[in-house]
Amino acid sequence: MKLPVELLQAAEAEFPKTTADISNIRTTHASTAAVDLDGLAHFELRRSMIAMSAREDFDPAFERYLGTNDLLPVNYLLTGFMRSRSVGRIKYFDRVKHKTAYATGFMVTPDLMMTNHHVFPVANAAEFAAFADDAVIEFGYEFDLRGKRGEPVAHALDPETFLHTSKALDLALVAVRQIDMSGNRQLSDQGYLILNGRIGKAGTADFATIIQHADGEDKQVALRNNEILANDLADVLIYKSDTAPGSSGAPVFNNEWQVIALHSAGVAKKDGQGNYLDKDEQIIPVEHGQIEEARIVWLSNRGIRISTILAYLRSPASTVALHPLINVFNSPAYSDSRPFKTAPVPKVHDELMVKPSEGTPTAPALAPAPFGPIEIRLSIGGGQAFTQTFASPAQAAPHLMVVEAEKKLEDEQDYSTCMGFEEEFMGIRIPMPVPSEKLRKKLARLRDAPASMVLKYHHYSTMQHAVRRVPAFYRLRNVIHISA
């Protein structure tokens, strides 16, 4: 994704610190008390916020802010996983650049998703339609407990229902369709992240956590290397981040998993002549006032404060303060002191667990011996049949076990690494065909992902007809085959 250079310039103007400056700041933080770093007024606000939001005893949570305790309760991991359910990968076809673009977005109400203005640099639904095609947010594009990448659940964005952007805050809010593209999943399954507009959610030298789809890859989390460097700027937080390139629109969290900022853009590495440099010290070209985000080396990162965003949305300046979908932010029920709503935690399937009594797999048990011999008959096509008779199950067992082993091998083949048909293989976008509503009802669905009907193999994809038991069509590189 391309970043506007003016966004980088604004970040540099707010926090013009070099690598050496940042190292000195972190050294100072390590030897300075929290009350001196933040001032007494903010220190008390932080204390109050921790008491309200911590999912553990107050003392260890407050000691973590003071810098005397770096241990986290184990529920930090589970809470983070639950929060991550509301974070998704934005995917759309950029009609200007003629290529697929990716970013990160997250649900903030039952209907609205938040991301950056530079992801959708538009002002209204008509401009959105001219800029982006097939815009969706995909949830569940991540590795599961088996280490397999999941099939995402895609919900279409709905700018006709609601769209609001702010270039000054690098903010975009877009409505999302309630039913996913397959017609089987509800948006409410993903839950949403509460935005608390009060001050006190972040302290200087606190550590932030960022959940992101870096450069369109699977969902990842940046942990424990995201020290907040500056907490005294009115509208932004500055943090030293290990976020990967391409993390635009990601939510930034504190230790209590409150959203503290919308990840935007920070200070980028430059040479003495003012050229932006990548990790190999190569100059990144600036084209039409934009630069490739994936190549930037960040010296520090910048997030727009959630308190600033909510104050703006609730003000007349936003022009949407009275909109019903924005009024949700004013509801007493919209509070992060209440339990958050999301889908249930996935259960670990039995095959992932090893029972203490289990040892080396044994051969399948044979049924009790029947009365009479066992006959195995094999016929291929219309040719002559081959028949062999065995006097007992024991005599037939080796042959039966070979058949069972072959079937087991076939069932256990791993297709999780197959990416399927590549839409941009020809240099232009050639999407998969979209089945009609009538045909969709007859297509087979995946057993472990009922919302999906696409089988992905190496370099091609197919959808199976559940009644005829043949491919309804398949997509192989630049060839489409449609069954009669």
Side-chain angles (χ1 to χ4, degrees), residues 62-302:
F62 188 58
E63 287 169 4
R64 199 171 298 116
Y65 166 57
L66 296 177
T68 58
N69 172 27
D70 196 39
L71 296 177
L72 289 159
V74 74
N75 68 4
Y76 175 85
L77 301 174
L78 181 58
T79 305
F81 171 76
M82 300 295 280
R83 297 292 199 218
S84 77
R85 297 295 306 279
S86 305
V87 181
R89 180 176 74 160
I90 295 172
K91 179 181 178 182
Y92 63 91
F93 182 71
D94 189 322
R95 297 170 67 98
V96 177
K97 298 182 176 66
H98 304 288
K99 61 184 294 187
T100 302
Y102 299 96
T104 304
F106 54 103
M107 299 302 302
V108 295
T109 77
D111 302 282
L112 299 180
M113 177 209 73
M114 179 177 288
T115 189
N116 292 134
H117 173 271
H118 75 257
V119 174
F120 294 122
V122 297
N124 52 55
E127 290 183 11
F128 189 101
F131 173 77
D133 195 15
D134 298 333
V136 299
I137 180 169
E138 297 177 324
F139 299 102
Y141 187 69
E142 59 198 66
F143 286 99
D144 64 15
L145 293 171
R146 298 180 182 84
K148 295 182 179 180
R149 184 180 280 116
E151 185 73 21
V153 177
H155 288 259
L157 303 189
D158 187 9
E160 293 285 349
T161 295
F162 186 89
L163 169 70
H164 181 73
T165 65
S166 167
K167 184 177 180 180
L169 297 179
D170 197 19
L171 166 72
L173 277 174
V174 191
V176 181
R177 298 255 174 98
Q178 291 295 315
I179 306 297
D180 81 317
M181 301 290 284
S182 74
N184 294 297
R185 297 286 294 273
Q186 296 281 341
L187 183 60
S188 58
D189 289 347
Q190 308 306 143
Y192 55 92
L193 302 176
I194 298 292
L195 304 183
N196 187 326
R198 292 175 56 187
I199 302 294
K201 298 185 295 299
T204 307
D206 266 350
F207 286 93
T209 297
I210 301 98
I211 297 176
Q212 62 204 317
H213 283 278
D215 208 25
E217 294 298 321
D218 51 277
K219 190 180 296 178
Q220 300 169 44
V221 56
L223 284 170
R224 313 314 295 160
N225 192 32
N226 312 308
E227 182 178 347
I228 295 176
L229 302 173
N231 191 30
D232 56 351
L233 300 174
D235 299 326
V236 299
L237 287 173
I238 307 296
Y239 40 93
K240 175 64 177 174
S241 174
D242 59 358
T243 52
S247 302
S248 296
V252 184
F253 300 89
N254 61 13
N255 281 330
E256 292 74 53
W257 287 108
Q258 293 175 296
V259 186
I260 58 177
L262 168 64
H263 186 69
S264 178
V267 178
K269 183 178 180 180
K270 299 165 72 174
D271 63 15
Q273 289 71 49
N275 299 305
Y276 294 102
L277 300 177
D278 65 15
K279 61 183 178 62
D280 299 317
E281 303 292 323
Q282 298 299 306
I283 295 175
I284 309 173
V286 176
E287 300 174 349
H288 308 295
Q290 295 185 319
I291 187 172
E292 187 60 51
E293 182 183 7
R295 295 182 61 187
I296 292 174
V297 176
W298 298 110
L299 302 183
S300 63
N301 259 304
R302 169 179 177 265

